Amino acid sequence: MKPAKQKGKIKIFGASDCYGLTDELSFTLRLTYEMRDEVDEACLRKAVDMLEERFSYLKVSLKKNWHAFYYEKNEKPWVLQNTDHSIPLNGRESNYHLLAFSFSGKTIYINAYHGQLDGTGLYRLGKALIYYYCCNLYGRQLNVPDVALPDDEILPEEYRDAYLHFHKSLLPPEENVPSPQKLVKSPMELDRMGLVQMGKRTSFKLSIPQADLMQYCSSYDGSPVTAIALMAAEAIYRLHPDSHKEIVIGIPVNLRPAMGLKVSHCNTYSKVYINYSKQLRSKGFEMQGTICRGTIIRYTNEALLRQQTRKYCRMLSLLNMIPFTALKQLAARGVADQMKKAETADVTYVGKCEYGEMEQYITAMFTDVDAYGMGLQMLISSFGNKFFISIDQDWEEKVYTNSFLEVLRNRGISYEVMYDGPNDTSILYTALGNSKNDVDIETK
C-alpha cells in the first residue's frame, strides 16, 4: 500500500532545522558506498527508479513564503549523475529535490537534506538502493534482512511527520545538558586556543578492524560509540591539558523506539552528553567505559526519551506560533547557538548495518555531514568486520585528527587511512540568498 497522494503545501511541524539554515550551513548528509566492482549506470538508474517508487513520500521540494517553510510535492524524477562531486539540493541540479544520487568509478553517493532524513533514515534508504542495484547487476535475489521492498505496505508512521505524533504533549523533561560556561567549545573555543583556524571544511576517513575496537568494548560490556567518544575526548584533552574548561562529547540517540515510530524516516534524535571531567580522567579506560555506559543507559530509557521529545515538540510549537519566516529564523538560530555550546565534539553511531549477502559487493561505507559551526564531528559506520570513521571538521589543520590517531596507536588499534581532503557535502538552496536559483523556489 502506497501513501495517499499529498497535494499543495505540506506543513513541516518539525521545521526547526529549516529555520536554522544559513548561507554557510546547509545541514546536509552524504552517504558513500565503495563497491567491489565498477558501477553500472543502467543498473543504478533502474535501482534509483525503484527507490523513487518505494519512497515516493520523499519526493518533495523545500519552499518558503512569508510565514513558514513547507514541503511541496515534486513529481520530477530523482537525479543520477556520473560525478564524484556533491550535487546541490533543492535547485536545478537536483530537479529541486532534497535527495540526489551520483556515482564515479566504484563509488555510489547519496546526497540528502538532514532535516528530512537522519542517519537511521538515510541508512535505510541506502540499504534499499544498494539491494535493488545488486539484484539488478548480479541477476539474483539476495538474502538481506530488514530491507525495504518495493511491494511493502507503507505505514503512516513511516511517511508522516513524526513530531506531529507528539506535539500536544508538552510535559517538561529532566535534562542532561551541561552548563556551557564550563566547556571547551568547538570550534570557537578551540579556534581561540590557536591550534586551528576555522574556515575550510575537511574530512579524514579511516577504517578500523572490528576485532581491534571490540576488545575494549567487551572489557566493560560497552559499545563502539562509547569507546570512540572516550578516545576523542582523550585526544582533545592531550592538546589542552591546562584548560579550565571541560570537554564534553555529544552522542546522538535514536528517538524512534520511544516515540513508537520505529520505521519513521524523519530526523528524530536526541543527545546524551559525556563529560570528560577530571574525576572521569582519573579512572582507567575500562572504568571510564563502564561509567559512560551507565550514563547512556540512564538517559536513554524510553520514559525519559519521551519526555525529551515532548520538550522539543513544545519548542517546535512555540516556533510555529511566530508569525513570520524571518522571525522564525532568528529564533531558531538562537536555539542552535545554545545547542552548539553544549558540546566540544560530536560522535555519531547509528549501529552495525546488516547487509547479508550484499556484503560481498561492498568494500566500505562512510557518512559525512555539513554541520558548519559544530566544529568536530566523528561519524561511525559499520558492516562486516570493519568500522568506518569520518572525521569532519571546520578547519584544515589535522591537529585533533593526529592526536586521535595517536590515541588509537597507543591502544594497539590498527587503522587504514582511506581519504584526506575536502568535505564535499551538498549545498542546499533555500531562498536565503546563496544561489541564483532562489527565484525558482521562492513562493509569495
Side-chain angles (χ1 to χ4, degrees):
M1 183 182 72
K2 303 299 181 184
K5 292 282 186 181
Q6 294 176 294
K7 298 180 180 179
K9 298 177 183 179
I10 305 170
K11 182 178 179 181
I12 315 171
F13 183 76
S16 66
D17 293 326
C18 304
Y19 297 110
L21 299 172
T22 67
D23 287 352
E24 293 79 25
L25 171 63
S26 289
F27 203 45
T28 53
L29 291 167
R30 194 178 207 204
L31 180 56
T32 300
Y33 288 98
E34 299 284 349
M35 307 303 290
R36 186 191 71 182
D37 303 317
E38 289 283 323
V39 176
D40 183 295
E41 182 173 3
C43 287
L44 185 56
R45 178 69 257 181
K46 183 177 180 181
V48 170
D49 292 343
M50 293 173 67
L51 195 76
E52 186 177 309
E53 178 68 18
R54 172 58 180 79
F55 294 89
S56 60
Y57 56 84
L58 296 177
K59 294 185 62 179
V60 296
S61 300
L62 178 64
K63 296 192 175 186
K64 76 169 185 175
N65 55 27
W66 290 110
H67 301 288
F69 276 97
Y70 60 92
Y71 290 145
E72 187 170 87
K73 193 67 180 175
N74 183 350
E75 297 297 345
K76 294 178 180 180
W78 279 337
V79 165
L80 174 65
Q81 293 184 9
N82 185 348
T83 177
D84 59 356
H85 294 295
S86 62
I87 300 173
L89 301 177
N90 213 45
R92 289 191 185 98
E93 298 92 332
S94 63
N95 268 347
Y96 302 94
H97 281 291
L98 299 175
L99 277 165
F101 305 84
S102 53
F103 69 96
S104 178
K106 297 182 179 181
T107 309
I108 296 172
Y109 305 97
I110 305 176
N111 306 278
Y113 169 46
H114 202 341
Q116 186 181 42
L117 294 169
D118 60 7
T120 301
L122 183 59
Y123 278 18
R124 187 167 184 262
L125 186 86
K127 183 176 185 177
L129 175 68
I130 301 302
Y131 174 77
Y132 304 157
Y133 171 71
C134 289
C135 290
N136 291 333
L137 181 61
Y138 300 106
R140 67 187 188 93
Q141 294 299 114
L142 300 170
N143 184 13
V144 178
D146 299 322
V147 66
L149 299 174
D151 57 352
D152 282 347
E153 178 182 3
I154 303 177
L155 301 175
E157 71 175 72
E158 178 178 338
Y159 65 84
R160 288 179 180 167
D161 187 331
Y163 289 106
L164 284 173
H165 185 72
F166 268 83
H167 78 282
K168 293 183 180 179
S169 301
L170 307 178
L171 299 179
E174 298 178 34
E175 295 191 29
N176 176 29
V177 179
S179 170
Q181 289 77 18
K182 296 181 179 180
L183 304 187
V184 177
K185 177 63 196 82
S186 174
M188 285 95 73
E189 188 70 21
L190 300 183
D191 186 25
R192 285 197 291 268
M193 289 180 173
L195 296 182
V196 296
Q197 185 173 357
M198 186 177 169
K200 184 174 182 180
R201 288 173 241 188
T202 58
S203 183
F204 186 93
K205 296 177 170 54
L206 65 150
S207 64
I208 294 177
Q210 178 177 297
D212 284 17
L213 186 59
M214 293 308 294
Q215 66 175 317
Y216 288 99
C217 300
S218 60
S219 65
Y220 59 89
D221 195 23
S223 69
V225 70
T226 307
I228 295 297
L230 286 170
M231 293 180 195
E234 180 181 342
I236 297 170
Y237 176 74
R238 285 173 173 232
L239 296 171
H240 307 290
D242 299 322
S243 174
H244 65 283
K245 296 190 176 182
E246 294 176 351
I247 296 167
V248 173
I249 306 298
I251 301 176
V253 294
N254 183 11
L255 288 175
R256 287 170 178 80
M259 297 172 75
L261 303 169
K262 293 185 179 180
V263 293
S264 172
H265 74 278
C266 294
N267 186 29
T268 52
Y269 68 90
S270 183
K271 282 191 178 181
V272 173
Y273 296 91
I274 302 298
N275 189 336
Y276 195 62
S277 63
K278 181 178 180 180
Q279 182 179 9
L280 184 63
R281 293 195 301 271
S282 67
K283 313 292 184 183
F285 188 80
E286 288 75 15
M287 181 57 69
Q288 291 178 14
T290 300
I291 293 171
C292 290
R293 179 173 177 269
T295 299
I296 292 173
I297 291 173
R298 176 185 174 191
Y299 287 105
T300 56
N301 72 78
E302 289 195 3
L304 182 54
L305 289 179
R306 281 193 293 271
Q307 287 182 319
Q308 291 174 337
T309 306
R310 291 180 183 121
K311 182 188 179 185
Y312 183 61
C313 287
R314 180 174 183 271
M315 185 272 289
L316 292 174
S317 293
L318 295 173
L319 181 66
N320 285 320
M321 290 169 62
I322 298 173
F324 298 110
T325 303
L327 296 178
K328 286 183 171 78
Q329 288 173 281
L330 288 174
R333 290 171 192 172
V335 172
D337 286 342
Q338 288 300 311
M339 291 178 66
K340 291 175 185 177
K341 295 176 182 178
E343 63 185 39
T344 310
D346 189 275
V347 177
T348 300
Y349 180 51
V350 170
K352 186 173 182 178
C353 296
E354 299 294 344
Y355 287 139
E357 291 183 341
M358 289 196 307
E359 287 186 1
Q360 61 187 306
Y361 305 120
I362 308 170
T363 61
M365 66 177 293
F366 290 98
T367 310
D368 292 284
V369 63
D370 168 25
Y372 186 74
M374 295 303 291
L376 191 61
Q377 306 263 325
M378 292 189 177
L379 299 100
I380 309 168
S381 305
S382 174
F383 75 92
N385 59 4
K386 286 186 178 181
F387 292 99
F388 302 92
I389 303 175
S390 294
I391 304 175
D392 293 345
Q393 55 186 28
D394 291 340
W395 46 76
E396 188 172 8
E397 298 86 354
K398 294 195 289 290
V399 288
Y400 296 102
T401 297
N402 289 336
S403 182
F404 177 71
L405 297 180
E406 184 180 354
V407 171
L408 292 179
R409 290 192 296 269
N410 290 345
R411 298 197 180 282
I413 298 176
S414 60
Y415 60 85
E416 178 185 358
V417 177
M418 303 189 72
Y419 178 82
D420 182 7
N423 180 3
D424 192 27
T425 47
S426 297
I427 62 173
L428 178 76
Y429 298 145
T430 57
L432 295 174
N434 61 355
S435 169
K436 62 184 179 181
N437 294 352
D438 291 347
V439 66
D440 295 325
I441 62 172
E442 184 85 29
T443 302
K444 301 298 183 183

